[in-house]
Amino acid sequence: MPSISARIPDDEEESLAEVADLLGEDKSATIRKALSEGLHDLRVRVAVERYQSGDVSVNEAARIADVSLGEWLEIAREHNLTTQLSPDDLESDADAALDV
């Protein structure tokens, strides 16, 4: 596993220590968990933004979010997303979904 170092403000270090205590973990494990969850949230946010703007298809949004098509459809429903795609794009997505 690679090692990365980062500087964080004092108040965030205090918060990190508090959360690590709450989880019963050391700070390194808490950082790894926070990074993993944060990266997932960022991927979903970018996928939502790009899908809503019509820049990407359903399949592309699921790939960006790193989730299955079914999971993406649930995310889209939770965010009340509407498609900006053409009927041809939707048909292509439907065909791709059948291949999965």
Side-chain angles (χ1 to χ4, degrees):
M1 177 181 328
S3 177
I4 298 173
S5 71
R7 296 181 189 274
I8 61 173
D10 290 340
D11 60 330
E12 288 183 5
E13 196 280 329
E14 291 170 13
S15 181
L16 171 62
E18 289 174 13
V19 172
D21 252 2
L22 289 170
L23 295 174
E25 299 176 339
D26 62 30
K27 289 191 284 187
S28 292
T30 303
I31 289 170
R32 285 191 298 275
K33 187 176 288 182
L35 181 60
S36 177
E37 291 177 18
L39 290 174
H40 172 75
D41 291 349
L42 288 170
R43 291 181 75 100
V44 168
R45 186 178 83 203
V46 168
V48 165
E49 290 169 358
R50 290 186 181 173
Y51 180 76
Q52 185 61 44
S53 69
D55 291 339
V56 298
S57 68
V58 170
N59 285 327
E60 291 168 311
R63 185 190 54 74
I64 291 168
D66 196 27
V67 296
S68 70
L69 184 58
E71 290 169 312
W72 171 254
L73 294 174
E74 180 64 23
I75 290 167
R77 187 189 62 76
E78 289 170 358
H79 287 85
N80 296 316
L81 297 180
T82 57
T83 186
Q84 306 295 323
L85 301 174
S86 71
D88 288 340
D89 292 332
L90 293 173
E91 186 176 330
S92 173
D93 281 347
D95 289 343
L98 291 174
D99 292 338
V100 174

